[in-house]
Amino acid sequence: MRLLRSTDVSERVRGLERLGEVGTPAATELLARSLEPGGAAKGYEERLATVRALAKHADKQAPRQTLARAMASSVSGRADDGGETLVRDTAALALARSAHKDALEILGKALRQEGPVAASALRALSAHPPRNLRPILAARGAPTRTLIDLLDALGDQRAFSALRGFVKHGSPELKGRALVALTRLGDYETVAVARLWLKQTKNDRRLRLAAAETLLMAHAPDAGRALSALLDEPDTAEAATLLASQSRSEALLPGLAKRLSAADASSAPALLAAIGRIGTARAAQLLSAELANEEHGTAAAYALGTCASSDAGQHLARALLQPKTRRNAARASVVREVVLGDRVDDLDAALRSLIVSEVAADRAAGAWGLATKDTKLARTLLGRSDHVVVRAAARAALAVDAASVAADRLAGESDPLTRAALAIALTRESSARRVPTRVIVELLEGGGAAAAVAAKALSARDDATLRPQIELLSKSGDPLIRAHVALGLSDSRAPSSIGLLAEMYRAEQNADVRHAVIVALSRRTDSTRRATLRLAADLDGDERVRSAARLALKNVALSPLPTGRSALWLALVDSGTGPSHPAQARVGTPSGVALPVVADPDGLVVMAGLPEGPLVLRLATGSDESNAPGR
């Protein structure tokens, strides 16, 4: 074909896609040859297009064999190359989706070799669970962690026998993983094995940790005691602390308290969090005793704010009366009210006293708390002349009414840090429309925390004039900018934006960007979007992207900024390498939107009402920040 001989990558890709549409034996043979050394598929984009084309014909043996070779090979020579990972994942997903016996055998063999190919096989079989496990389990080779992880993820009762065999005859690491997997499947005969391991395997931390996790999962009465013993051992203490967060046993408190007494600033938050999750009156008492600690008092406050014990609110109420603990106790009390619905006595009075303090950090804490509790107060505080108050109140400006006021202030604000904080209003299209394009472009070009949401707001205004700039941004070297361009295009009224979104998805290596594209497409009604959605639902290597695409195919419009009852409590420590200005940061939400925030003068960033799921922090730098006046 003429297109395959072209020197232009996009034309070669188009030629490969056409061969997939033709689908004859001659066409699939040409696709197979393109993957050979010197073939038309010279880079990962062409290889990806070829694999996707062959995936349409995975019901035939020859294409499946080609897909198997594509999964196992790498043109770049680097198995961890992002583009090659896409190719490998797509090939593996196509094989798993075909459900043919020979395809499952190929994936089963891949699972017996640790490494990137095995990881792709794991992702593929998790996405398309096999109806028949036999080809997977009967594959030649020694068992691996990845194989056991797959059986654990599938939750298939037919894996019982294989997992029991791994517990008896595997290496210590595999034995431990298999025991936990069996317990998750509901086989509580593992409890007796776990207790035996705790008695007889004193020198193997992997088996002892797996045994403790098994007891926790089975809700065994001696789970807390077993885990407490591991907290006292240097080689298991750190891992045991992570497991302790899954337990509510008071038996863990002495061990956690002992570790806390010797903990440094980096390890104390995890210990305090584990104590808080135990959620008993004794746990609340231990946290309360740490509120005045200069190194980790802030982490203790957050743990107390989210502690389930009703006594925690009483401890916070007392801490509100003490000057040394009042500020963080007030923040924690607001978090407690939002997350748990538990109101702390005298909180409103404490917040009002903080906001009139001469100490800037106190005013920030008071402003954030009042704005979070009352949208009307948030609107008032966003109009204050005190930049410390405005920046803190802006973190509560996700509600529609407050976002509109923040947008109006942003339109005329000159202070760089305050502009960055107010840019949170750009996350909502309704409030972003109130901000002039000139201001949005300035925020985008200035970098800093607001650049990503500025890219989103600009892309939502997609028209003939702005399209060239939007297309450039869609190819930005920063995946966060690319993701926000996609999210912005969900509000574009230009029919051609569907084509731009499809082009963005086509060879995108970053899963967050691909997810943003799918979120954007879910909010559109154009029928042309469905081809990209079907591709993502079947062959995307990222589970979150696949799930979003499957929902979108059911006409579910995914929210780019869902709200919830989660909270963020983060201390940003000054490195001492530059001017002492409040730090800018971007808080990435599960939907993909990165909220611009400016830390309070004491370095804390506290937010509430956020969606459930992992939050990602990225510190932001830019010309605006470096020129910001100290306040």
Side-chain angles (χ1 to χ4, degrees), residues 426-427 429 452-460 484-485 487-488 491 560 593:
L426 299 180
T427 58
E429 174 58 13
V453 290
K456 177 181 181 294
L458 188 70
S459 300
H484 281 72
V485 168
L487 293 172
D491 293 309
V593 172

Side-chain angles (χ1 to χ4, degrees), residues 313-537:
Q314 298 173 22
H315 287 294
L316 286 172
R318 287 192 288 272
L320 289 173
L321 303 176
Q322 305 298 321
K324 189 173 183 179
T325 57
R326 179 179 58 173
R327 183 196 308 158
N328 285 327
R331 288 165 166 153
S333 298
V334 174
V335 167
R336 186 171 188 81
E337 185 170 323
V338 174
V339 174
L340 300 179
D342 183 19
R343 303 191 67 174
V344 176
D345 293 341
D346 299 323
L347 172 59
D348 291 347
L351 292 172
R352 287 193 295 270
S353 67
L354 285 168
I355 203 170
V356 296
S357 170
E358 294 183 358
V359 179
D362 284 350
R363 297 200 304 277
W368 172 78
L370 291 169
T372 298
K373 284 170 56 66
D374 189 330
T375 302
K376 290 183 179 179
L377 274 177
R379 297 176 64 180
T380 300
L381 294 172
L382 287 167
R384 291 280 188 92
S385 59
D386 185 343
H387 288 277
V388 168
V389 167
V390 174
R391 295 168 192 162
R395 294 201 301 275
L398 290 176
V400 175
D401 290 347
S404 297
V405 175
D408 291 341
R409 169 113 189 212
L410 174 61
E413 181 58 56
S414 59
D415 176 70
L417 279 175
T418 306
R419 277 162 58 107
L422 292 167
I424 198 169
L426 299 180
T427 58
R428 290 192 178 276
E429 174 58 13
S430 59
S431 52
R433 285 196 295 265
R434 306 168 78 100
V435 181
T437 299
R438 169 188 56 81
V439 174
I440 291 173
V441 172
E442 288 173 358
L443 289 169
L444 182 58
E445 294 177 346
V453 290
K456 177 181 181 294
L458 188 70
S459 300
R461 302 182 183 193
D462 180 28
D463 59 22
T465 303
L466 292 174
R467 175 56 72 88
Q469 186 172 2
I470 293 170
E471 289 181 348
L472 283 175
L473 290 171
S474 73
K475 300 173 183 176
S476 167
D478 185 349
L480 193 63
I481 296 295
R482 300 199 301 274
H484 281 72
V485 168
L487 293 172
L489 288 172
S490 68
D491 293 309
S492 169
R493 297 179 182 178
S496 62
S497 60
I498 296 294
L500 179 53
L501 285 166
E503 180 64 20
M504 290 181 68
Y505 180 87
R506 183 178 63 80
E508 176 58 57
Q509 297 184 27
N510 186 280
D512 291 336
V513 180
R514 299 198 305 274
H515 181 262
V517 170
I518 299 305
V519 169
L521 290 174
S522 78
R523 302 179 64 78
R524 303 293 296 269
T525 58
D526 318 58
S527 60
T528 52
R529 71 190 180 123
R530 298 187 69 83
T532 302
L533 292 176
R534 283 194 294 268
L535 175 63

Side-chain angles (χ1 to χ4, degrees), residues 34-330:
S34 72
L35 291 173
E36 296 175 356
K42 303 181 186 304
Y44 90 87
E45 291 185 45
E46 297 106 301
R47 284 169 56 78
L48 182 59
T50 303
V51 168
R52 286 173 175 168
L54 287 166
K56 298 177 181 179
H57 310 287
D59 58 329
K60 302 180 182 66
Q61 186 176 28
R64 289 199 299 275
Q65 292 174 345
T66 305
L67 289 167
R69 291 194 295 273
M71 183 180 71
S73 62
S74 172
V75 167
S76 70
R78 288 181 51 200
D80 61 346
D81 180 271
E84 291 303 321
T85 298
L86 268 181
V87 173
R88 190 169 54 245
D89 281 353
T90 304
L93 283 156
L95 290 170
R97 189 182 60 159
S98 77
H100 278 262
K101 182 174 180 290
D102 60 348
L104 297 179
E105 289 173 346
I106 290 166
L107 294 169
K109 290 178 183 177
L111 289 167
R112 302 282 178 157
Q113 309 168 44
E114 290 289 13
V117 177
S120 289
L122 167 62
R123 289 189 285 269
L125 290 165
S126 299
H128 301 289
R131 290 188 295 271
N132 181 9
L133 276 181
R134 185 174 296 278
I136 305 295
L137 296 175
R140 299 175 68 178
T144 61
R145 294 175 303 168
T146 310
L147 173 61
I148 294 174
D149 289 346
L150 171 69
L151 299 179
D152 192 4
L154 291 177
D156 193 318
Q157 301 291 323
R158 292 171 296 178
F160 265 128
S161 178
L163 288 170
R164 284 178 177 144
F166 300 151
V167 170
K168 291 179 180 179
H169 306 298
S171 66
E173 182 181 19
L174 297 186
K175 283 184 177 183
R177 285 175 178 261
L179 192 76
V180 171
L182 270 175
T183 309
R184 213 183 316 273
L185 279 175
D187 182 3
Y188 287 166
E189 293 177 4
T190 55
V191 170
V193 177
R195 288 171 177 153
L196 185 65
W197 283 1
L198 288 169
K199 290 180 180 178
Q200 297 184 354
T201 57
K202 297 293 185 183
N203 297 324
D204 197 310
R205 63 183 299 276
R206 292 165 296 185
L207 293 182
R208 291 170 61 75
L209 287 168
E213 185 174 359
T214 295
L215 295 178
L216 282 174
M217 291 171 59
H219 303 289
D222 51 344
R225 187 168 63 254
L227 193 53
S228 182
L230 296 181
L231 284 170
D232 284 336
E233 300 177 16
D235 62 335
T236 57
E238 186 174 349
T241 301
L242 293 176
L243 286 176
S245 64
Q246 304 172 27
S247 173
R248 298 179 68 104
S249 172
E250 275 206 329
L252 294 174
L253 289 177
L256 291 170
K258 180 180 178 181
R259 287 208 70 210
L260 182 63
S261 64
D264 56 23
S266 62
S267 58
L271 293 164
L272 292 163
I275 292 172
R277 290 191 185 100
I278 290 173
T280 62
R282 175 58 181 153
Q285 185 178 6
L286 284 173
L287 294 172
S288 178
E290 300 297 325
L291 287 175
N293 187 295
E294 292 185 1
E295 287 192 351
H296 53 249
T298 55
Y302 176 65
L304 196 59
T306 54
C307 179
S309 171
S310 59
D311 288 7
Q314 298 173 22
H315 287 294
L316 286 172
R318 287 192 288 272
L320 289 173
L321 303 176
Q322 305 298 321
K324 189 173 183 179
T325 57
R326 179 179 58 173
R327 183 196 308 158
N328 285 327

Side-chain angles (χ1 to χ4, degrees), residues 21-46:
E21 292 167 3
V22 172
T24 62
T28 56
E29 176 62 23
L30 280 173
L31 287 169
R33 289 180 186 175
S34 72
L35 291 173
E36 296 175 356
K42 303 181 186 304
Y44 90 87
E45 291 185 45
E46 297 106 301

